[in-house]
Amino acid sequence: MSARALVTLAVCLSLTKLQNTHGESIAFGKLAKQRNSYPGYPASRALNAIYSTTGSFTYLANPCWWEVDLRGYFDISNITLTAATNGWGTYMSNAYVEVIDKDVSLCSDAQVEWCGNVSSTVAAGEEFTFTCNATFPVRFVRVTRRSTSNTFLNIGHIDVQGVGATKRYRSYYTPTTGRKVTKPSMTTSAITAGECGILCHRNHSCIDFSYSKTASTESNCLLTYEVVPQYSVARNDWTMYTMDNCL
């Protein structure tokens, strides 16, 4: 077997290992946001159980919403919302959960699947688990609360369970020359930027990637699920490729 074939086999095996994970918690540490934030209670708090006493909290709005970008594509098995333990659970009542394949603020053709509805009465620390039956790979989870007037949305904690899914093929990434991701989720090798992009496509947790013609051939392709300014650095010999959310 040629050296090239051995490298290809090794990459395929490593990607298969990533995709065979079952029942993993896939939301922790991902990118959360909400319509607005009550001072001191940002959306990210709902993803960390250490803050479950109070969780995340929006300011007055109608509707209120909270959303997490999973920075990858997944088949969702279930989503569990836990009410805050300090009595703010009333501000989670009647909220409903949806899963979405694209950023609804940018894309007009996003697919949405309703997963379930929180009851009208919520006890402190009460859990609500919803099963989602989306027929498409999911990237976003959104919680929405509507009312007859402005209200709040509070989430003590949210846990999303799922496994990596095969995403639709993306052939276009926006290149940014002179930048390199600093927190790759996987470091590998590729002969061309196009091959690095194919590896990103095959890896369910990859959204964006960086490639260098001159870096070490063992580490010239960096795959990542979070390319935001604080996780990239100026490097003249690298190019960072960012996916268009609506492709």
Side-chain angles (χ1 to χ4, degrees):
M1 185 179 291
S2 69
R4 170 78 173 169
L6 286 171
V7 171
T8 302
L9 177 61
V11 170
C12 289
L13 288 174
S14 65
L15 292 176
T16 299
K17 183 177 180 181
L18 282 170
Q19 293 175 343
N20 281 341
T21 304
H22 293 280
E24 62 177 332
S25 180
I26 57 177
F28 179 75
K30 299 298 177 64
L31 305 177
K33 63 181 180 179
Q34 53 196 9
R35 178 167 179 174
N36 49 38
S37 294
Y38 200 88
Y41 300 94
S44 59
R45 289 171 64 94
L47 294 175
N48 193 336
I50 198 172
Y51 298 117
S52 59
T53 299
T54 53
S56 63
F57 206 92
T58 69
Y59 201 66
L60 284 169
N62 188 32
C64 298
W65 56 262
W66 177 99
E67 182 180 273
V68 61
D69 180 351
L70 298 173
R71 298 301 286 169
Y73 290 85
F74 298 87
D75 290 326
I76 304 301
S77 55
N78 57 68
I79 299 171
T80 299
L81 268 66
T82 304
T85 59
N86 67 343
W88 288 357
T90 183
Y91 297 118
M92 198 174 78
S93 65
N94 296 315
Y96 58 89
V97 181
E98 297 170 305
V99 291
I100 313 169
D101 69 332
K102 299 180 182 181
D103 188 337
V104 295
S105 67
L106 300 174
C107 312
S108 60
D109 60 342
Q111 298 182 85
V112 181
E113 182 73 27
W114 182 84
C115 299
N117 214 95
V118 175
S119 66
S120 58
T121 58
V122 179
E126 186 173 359
E127 293 186 354
F128 298 87
T129 298
F130 307 104
T131 300
C132 298
N133 298 309
T135 57
F136 51 84
V138 170
R139 178 172 165 182
F140 297 88
V141 174
R142 175 172 282 224
V143 180
T144 305
R145 186 168 186 252
R146 297 179 181 274
S147 184
T148 55
S149 60
N150 285 343
T151 188
F152 302 96
L153 170 62
N154 171 247
I155 302 173
H157 182 244
I158 183 168
D159 180 64
V160 182
Q161 299 284 323
V163 295
T166 301
K167 58 181 179 284
R168 293 177 301 280
Y169 180 71
R170 262 92 172 153
S171 60
Y172 182 76
Y173 292 80
T174 301
T176 303
T177 57
R179 293 206 71 81
K180 172 188 176 183
V181 62
T182 57
K183 297 180 70 173
S185 55
M186 180 177 178
T187 300
T188 184
S189 62
I191 296 176
T192 65
E195 183 180 6
C196 187
I198 291 172
L199 294 176
C200 182
H201 165 67
R202 290 175 179 169
N203 184 339
H204 75 267
S205 67
C206 179
I207 293 293
D208 310 305
F209 65 94
S210 297
Y211 175 77
S212 172
K213 291 181 180 180
T214 58
S216 167
T217 54
E218 288 76 31
S219 56
N220 67 346
C221 174
L222 308 179
L223 312 184
T224 183
Y225 60 76
E226 49 184 359
V227 172
V228 287
Q230 63 262 38
Y231 297 141
S232 67
V233 64
R235 283 290 299 269
N236 291 333
D237 53 336
W238 285 81
T239 300
M240 190 167 67
Y241 295 84
T242 305
M243 186 187 76
D244 185 328
N245 284 320
C246 293
L247 288 179

